[in-house]
Amino acid sequence: MTEMDVRSQTAAVIPAFNDEKHIGDIVRRTRERLDHVLVIDDGSSDQTAQCAREAGAEVIVHSENRGKGEAIKTGLGHWLAQEVTWVTLLDSDGQHLPEEIDRFLSAADSATRPTFFIGNRMNNLAGMPLIRRIVNRYMSSRISRVCGQKIPDTQCGYRMLDRQLIPELLGGGHRFDYETEVLIIASRKGYRIGSVPITTVYTDQVSKIHPLRDAIRFFKLMRRYRAIGG
């Protein structure tokens, strides 16, 4: 299989919530690389869905905000029923450069075993605030131990996975904890977690993460999977 074959068999999922300012540009740039682009509007109160459609994306709208995890699951479930082999996940706010989809396609083309690809921003920390560096390193260390393999940047939402893994990922958490849980699930299904270097980008968007609430979810998740064991 060539990189062009991988490209033609890859679809994008872009979860979005109140991102009308950025979503059109992200969709257009993603469509320059992939023919199939799906935006999940997770209960936005602005024109996110309209902007995404005008830019050429297929759009599914949640009637209320369900959380990023649920938005991703909606997108994965949609592509599971279609003729695609790979799904790329990227954020709607500009933190992920659609041009770097090419790096994931190249990595997928050269993979020799089942691999779940995740972006890695930790090789170039110039644009990352100090507190995020500390939190990322701490959480990545904890999650790597649970997964049984080293994952430098477990908090990165820029990812690529093959359709065979999708049925295993349609349960679990429904907010930001979901992105941690899928790494554990993939690892325990025998997938290598492959890191793809990406650019560190921070936009004018306000983070949708709630530090205390999401930290509690993270520690509950870690405790649960340690109890389950390998």
Side-chain angles (χ1 to χ4, degrees):
M1 181 179 292
T2 67
E3 185 174 326
M4 187 62 68
D5 292 329
V6 174
R7 185 185 304 275
S8 67
Q9 296 172 20
T10 300
V13 170
I14 307 176
F17 177 64
N18 289 339
D19 275 326
E20 66 178 4
K21 182 176 180 180
H22 301 91
I23 190 64
D25 179 57
I26 296 301
V27 167
R28 282 187 289 271
R29 289 159 60 196
T30 302
R31 292 192 71 247
E32 290 177 357
R33 276 144 183 85
L34 302 175
D35 292 332
H36 310 291
V37 179
L38 174 66
V39 170
I40 309 301
D41 180 346
D42 190 32
S44 298
S45 59
D46 63 6
Q47 299 302 309
T48 292
Q50 179 180 336
C51 292
R53 289 193 185 96
E54 290 174 351
E58 184 176 357
V59 179
I60 295 175
V61 177
H62 287 171
S63 59
E64 61 183 9
N65 181 255
R66 303 181 193 174
K68 188 178 183 182
E70 288 299 321
I72 292 172
K73 284 185 275 188
T74 294
L76 293 179
H78 174 84
W79 290 125
L80 181 62
Q82 310 297 319
E83 293 298 320
V84 300
T85 303
W86 294 90
V87 177
T88 296
L89 307 173
L90 66 157
D91 289 350
S92 61
D93 60 4
Q95 289 198 39
H96 301 150
L97 302 180
E99 293 75 18
E100 294 183 342
I101 287 173
D102 294 348
R103 299 183 183 183
F104 288 85
L105 298 175
S106 179
D109 178 49
S110 60
T112 58
R113 56 172 288 191
T115 305
F116 182 116
F117 297 99
I118 181 170
N120 177 18
R121 301 161 294 178
M122 304 306 283
N123 291 333
N124 182 4
L125 299 174
M128 184 178 291
L130 178 61
I131 187 62
R132 290 207 181 192
R133 298 184 200 180
I134 295 170
V135 171
N136 277 10
R137 283 175 170 153
Y138 172 76
M139 296 181 76
S140 294
S141 175
R142 294 286 302 273
I143 296 164
S144 292
R145 286 199 293 270
V146 174
C147 289
Q149 53 185 310
K150 184 172 177 55
I151 311 169
D153 189 5
T154 59
Q155 303 310 294
C156 183
Y158 208 166
R159 302 174 176 201
M160 184 172 176
L161 59 123
D162 71 64
R163 66 175 291 121
Q164 295 183 10
L165 185 59
I166 290 177
E168 307 293 338
L169 305 182
L170 297 180
H174 62 284
R175 294 195 177 271
F176 289 95
D177 53 329
Y178 173 80
E179 292 184 290
T180 294
E181 189 164 11
V182 297
L183 297 175
I184 300 172
I185 293 171
S187 295
R188 295 191 176 186
K189 291 296 178 180
Y191 280 73
R192 182 178 74 90
I193 309 298
S195 293
V196 176
I198 65 168
T199 304
T200 302
V201 179
Y202 286 99
T203 68
D204 57 355
Q205 287 289 81
V206 176
S207 175
K208 300 180 180 73
I209 294 177
H210 297 267
L212 179 59
R213 184 190 68 189
D214 290 313
I216 291 171
R217 287 197 176 105
F218 170 77
F219 286 113
K220 285 183 177 179
L221 180 69
M222 292 294 98
R223 186 167 62 247
R224 176 156 57 89
Y225 274 97
R226 283 199 303 270
I228 292 173

